[in-house]
Amino acid sequence: MIFLILHIINLLSTAHFIDNKVPESYMDEIFHVPQAQQYCHGDYYTWDPKLTTPPGLYIISNVIALIGKVFNYDLCTVNTLRFTNILFSIGLYLTLVSMVTTLYPATKNDWKTKLYALTLSWFPVGFFYNFLYYTDPGSTFFVLLSYLLVKKKRYTLSGLVGMASLTFRQTNVIWVCLFMMVTIIDTLSNVSSSKKNDDSVCNLYNPACLSIQKPAQVVQSIYSLLINTLKNIKIVLPNILTFLLAIISFAVFLVWNGGIVLGDRSNHIAGLHFPQLFYYSSFLSFFAAPWIFSLTSALKLISIKTIIYGVASTLLALFFVHKYTHEHPFILSDNRHYSFYVWHKIYRRHWTVRYLLTPAYTISGFLNIQAFAEHTRFLLAFGYFIALVLTLVPSPLFEFRYFIIPFLFYMVHIPPPTQTTRTIAALGLYLSIHLVTVYLFVYKPFVWTNEPDQLQRFMW
């Protein structure tokens, strides 16, 4: 309970501070807030063409506003609309606690688990958006809640929650597909364990990642998933009906909308941007370092086999960097985001920098894979990798917000460390970054020459 109280205190104090210092709508809020207020006034037909995501956030806020009307409170002001995301953040903390204890039952009722969940809840990139009226907190909450329900074997409800997540961000359909795959794996595993002496019923091959020694094992595992799903379709189908409903609904939306993006599509044209995976890997290594990095993990990479793989991976990364690096107009012009400064101060310092960083990408990737592989089976790791590719590679824009769900999904599969000092170090790092970013957002505004009457602010 103490960690939940700390979480709420941090949320409310930061929200109160930002609401007082920045009471007006900022950046994308100038689109989100008026749209939500249209809903509050009962107008569900007017739609701002600048909005690119569905109306899930506005619907939730509208429900809260209707409750407020009963008590004569206006819950459709900028500040009260932002409060919607405070509720999502509280829900996210509770979801993370339950997720970790479900994946690692031995940690149940352990205060270290709640400290770990609190730290992940304060992950700086995701935490910042709790204090603005953005879709990210709701999207993150519903996606992780859907996964929690899968692991709780509440498959029907999980699919419905996954469908709700699509109303916050269309690309969440990728995570819904991953959770459907996990549901199929769990269902087949249950069939296999209940029919141990009948190989004709199910023979799913899903080894631990660390036991994979040959490419043939990878092929065998994927093939066994496909063939056993077809063989046991009558058992599998009832558990995945709501997932299929969500996916079919998304397909209908694609046909009706003529594409995945609502509204302004000119700045959201999909392509092949493979270096996104390298940016994410570096990002993941930094924010997960307090838990996954150690001298032992680094020494494990020193072997002839790893060096050969490392050289091959670096050469492949060089090709992807050369062929598929994209500079979105926003990353070149919008100096309100930290990604702008990362790009200009590092990648644009000299044309060779993007190539010189490829060995670092390789080492980062190996460390991240090694930590994840220690606690997962192959099919989950494979599904996660495919989800990463489908989520990140099509996006032309380098933006830290896209990494929130992939990061948290990765971290819930890393068990809380027995060494509390690691989690405390991560908590200190996250809280420090949070305080700095809030300070910069509030106290270091600046002005664009073409908009002299409008303050601009630094943010993720």
Side-chain angles (χ1 to χ4, degrees):
M1 181 60 72
I2 184 65
F3 295 115
L4 176 60
I5 293 172
L6 284 175
H7 184 50
I8 293 173
I9 290 173
N10 192 0
L11 285 169
L12 294 181
S13 58
T14 305
H16 179 71
F17 177 70
I18 289 180
D19 288 344
N20 283 337
K21 299 294 184 180
V22 189
E24 68 281 357
S25 298
Y26 179 69
M27 203 176 287
D28 287 0
E29 284 187 317
I30 65 174
F31 307 114
H32 293 305
V33 169
Q35 186 64 57
Q37 290 172 339
Q38 292 276 10
Y39 278 39
C40 289
H41 298 146
D43 181 1
Y44 301 102
Y45 299 99
T46 302
W47 182 261
D48 188 338
K50 289 291 184 181
L51 292 167
T52 59
T53 51
L57 176 61
Y58 321 131
I59 294 171
I60 297 292
S61 294
N62 190 211
V63 172
I64 295 172
L66 289 174
I67 296 172
K69 282 183 179 180
V70 175
F71 301 97
N72 294 318
Y73 287 111
D74 179 9
L75 299 184
C76 262
T77 64
V78 175
N79 290 353
T80 53
L81 287 173
R82 288 173 176 173
F83 186 75
T84 308
N85 286 336
I86 301 296
L87 299 178
F88 285 136
S89 185
I90 294 171
L92 178 64
Y93 166 77
L94 297 173
T95 298
L96 289 170
V97 171
S98 185
M99 178 81 73
V100 176
T101 55
T102 300
L103 291 172
Y104 302 97
T107 65
K108 192 172 184 179
N109 299 323
D110 188 343
W111 67 271
K112 296 176 185 176
T113 300
K114 296 178 177 63
L115 178 63
Y116 185 63
L118 179 69
T119 305
L120 295 182
S121 300
W122 290 3
F123 166 54
V125 183
F127 198 62
F128 182 86
Y129 286 98
N130 292 320
F131 311 106
L132 297 175
Y133 194 60
Y134 272 58
T135 60
D136 301 85
S139 173
T140 303
F141 167 69
F142 279 111
V143 167
L144 289 181
L145 178 61
S146 178
Y147 185 53
L148 171 63
L149 291 168
V150 168
K151 302 315 293 180
K152 294 264 187 196
K153 303 189 186 303
R154 304 286 299 277
Y155 303 127
T156 299
L157 186 56
S158 174
L160 294 174
V161 171
M163 190 182 302
S165 77
L166 300 186
T167 67
F168 283 76
R169 185 155 293 163
Q170 303 92 307
T171 52
N172 286 341
V173 71
I174 295 165
W175 298 101
V176 171
C177 290
L178 174 60
F179 302 158
M180 184 175 73
M181 189 190 86
V182 175
T183 298
I184 293 171
I185 293 169
D186 286 353
T187 303
L188 293 176
S189 298
N190 290 336
V191 171
S192 181
S193 61
S194 63
K195 302 285 186 180
K196 291 182 179 179
N197 298 322
D198 188 356
D199 291 339
S200 64
V201 174
C202 183
N203 189 24
L204 180 66
Y205 179 64
N206 186 20
C209 287
L210 294 181
S211 69
I212 299 287
Q213 300 294 326
K214 301 175 182 178
Q217 291 176 275
V218 171
V219 175
Q220 180 186 352
S221 186
I222 298 171
Y223 175 77
S224 74
L225 175 62
L226 295 174
I227 199 68
N228 281 291
T229 300
L230 293 174
K231 282 169 57 178
N232 296 277
I233 192 65
K234 290 183 179 180
I235 301 173
V236 169
L237 191 57
N239 288 343
I240 62 171
L241 278 177
T242 51
F243 294 101
L244 291 174
L245 180 60
I247 294 167
I248 291 170
S249 300
F250 174 76
V252 170
F253 162 78
L254 282 182
V255 174
W256 169 79
N257 189 53
I260 191 170
V261 178
L262 280 167
D264 180 20
R265 302 179 188 178
S266 59
N267 293 309
H268 298 83
I269 300 173
L272 292 177
H273 193 185
F274 287 103
Q276 287 272 44
L277 298 173
F278 307 145
Y279 310 148
Y280 170 67
S281 181
S282 306
F283 173 93
L284 174 60
S285 291
F286 176 79
F287 283 104
W291 293 290
I292 71 172
F293 182 76
S294 66
L295 181 60
T296 303
S297 63
L299 291 175
K300 286 181 181 178
L301 301 182
I302 302 176
S303 69
I304 298 298
K305 183 178 180 180
T306 304
I307 291 172
I308 293 172
Y309 284 156
V311 171
S313 299
T314 302
L315 292 174
L316 186 61
L318 284 168
F319 169 75
F320 282 138
V321 167
H322 179 71
K323 186 74 174 177
Y324 296 104
T325 296
H326 299 293
E327 292 185 320
H328 193 282
F330 288 174
I331 202 71
L332 298 177
S333 61
D334 194 343
N335 63 343
R336 295 170 295 184
H337 294 289
Y338 297 130
S339 53
F340 170 92
Y341 298 95
V342 171
W343 193 261
H344 283 259
K345 298 297 183 182
I346 299 177
Y347 290 97
R348 280 206 143 212
R349 182 170 292 276
H350 193 272
W351 69 268
T352 58
V353 170
R354 64 184 63 177
Y355 300 105
L356 294 174
L357 286 173
T358 51
Y361 297 150
T362 299
I363 295 171
S364 165
F366 278 17
L367 287 171
N368 295 335
I369 291 170
Q370 178 179 270
F372 194 68
E374 288 179 357
H375 307 288
T376 56
R377 293 191 170 273
F378 169 73
L379 287 174
L380 176 65
F382 176 74
Y384 175 61
F385 174 73
I386 297 300
L388 277 183
V389 171
L390 295 177
T391 300
L392 300 179
V393 170
S395 174
L397 179 61
F398 167 42
E399 188 169 350
F400 292 120
R401 283 194 296 160
Y402 300 158
F403 301 158
I404 295 172
I405 294 175
F407 173 81
L408 290 175
F409 185 87
Y410 178 98
M411 290 307 304
V412 296
H413 291 92
I414 306 297
T418 54
Q419 295 178 318
T420 315
T421 52
R422 285 182 171 268
T423 303
I424 292 175
L427 185 65
L429 173 66
Y430 286 10
L431 185 58
S432 299
I433 294 173
H434 168 63
L435 293 174
V436 170
T437 51
V438 169
Y439 172 80
L440 292 174
F441 180 74
V442 171
Y443 289 114
K444 295 296 180 180
F446 57 97
V447 176
W448 285 346
T449 54
N450 61 327
E451 295 182 13
D453 298 328
Q454 179 68 47
L455 290 178
Q456 310 299 333
R457 300 179 184 277
F458 297 108
M459 60 187 292
W460 288 103

